[in-house]
Amino acid sequence: VQLQASGGGLVQAGGSLRLSCVVSGRTFSNYGMGWFRQALGKEREFVSSISGLGGSTFYADSVKGRFTISRDNAKRTVYLQMNSLKSEDTAVYYCAVALLRVATSLNDFDHWGQGTLVTVSS
């Protein structure tokens, strides 16, 4: 299984970015997908996840109402639309494939992308 994340960059506070993650090597729609982030000096934390068919989505409280996760199973891609970005959103963002159709815990994800850096300037 390989995951390729993209879309990170430098953005001003209040701005938007859209992250993408393309997955190969697994029946994509059978598994949940998630986004996690890790800020400098902090542990990796859950941001959002989506079920295999896209019917269920989950968000960390810190991003609820600002971020939207979606997936296109035909393109084997999961997205994270990030709006109203804040300086505290600065982190390396990782996409991951879950072991299950629905997952929110870090331990439920078994394959990870390389990460894409999001920097929000205040």
Side-chain angles (χ1 to χ4, degrees):
V1 179
Q2 293 187 327
L3 296 86
Q4 182 67 44
S6 61
L10 174 64
V11 63
Q12 288 188 334
S16 298
L17 282 174
R18 188 175 82 154
L19 306 183
S20 300
C21 178
V22 181
V23 181
S24 61
R26 180 173 279 184
T27 304
F28 186 64
S29 61
N30 283 356
Y31 300 94
M33 292 292 302
W35 287 96
F36 292 76
R37 66 186 181 187
Q38 188 166 16
L40 194 63
K42 295 188 177 181
E43 293 185 352
R44 192 169 299 190
E45 64 175 3
F46 171 79
V47 174
S48 182
S49 66
I50 187 167
S51 60
L53 297 179
S56 298
T57 57
F58 306 89
Y59 297 94
D61 288 343
S62 58
V63 307
K64 204 170 290 183
R66 300 188 297 122
F67 291 10
T68 302
I69 191 170
S70 61
R71 65 190 295 161
D72 184 334
N73 287 348
K75 295 182 178 180
R76 304 176 62 83
T77 302
V78 62
Y79 304 97
L80 186 67
Q81 177 67 44
M82 305 185 295
N83 298 329
S84 303
L85 283 161
K86 305 175 182 179
S87 57
E88 51 263 45
D89 295 318
T90 294
V92 177
Y93 283 72
Y94 298 90
C95 60
V97 179
L99 292 162
L100 310 168
R101 288 186 183 270
V102 179
T104 59
S105 171
L106 187 146
N107 292 332
D108 290 334
F109 292 81
D110 65 340
H111 287 88
W112 296 80
Q114 84 286 4
T116 184
L117 177 62
V118 172
T119 304
V120 183
S121 63
S122 56

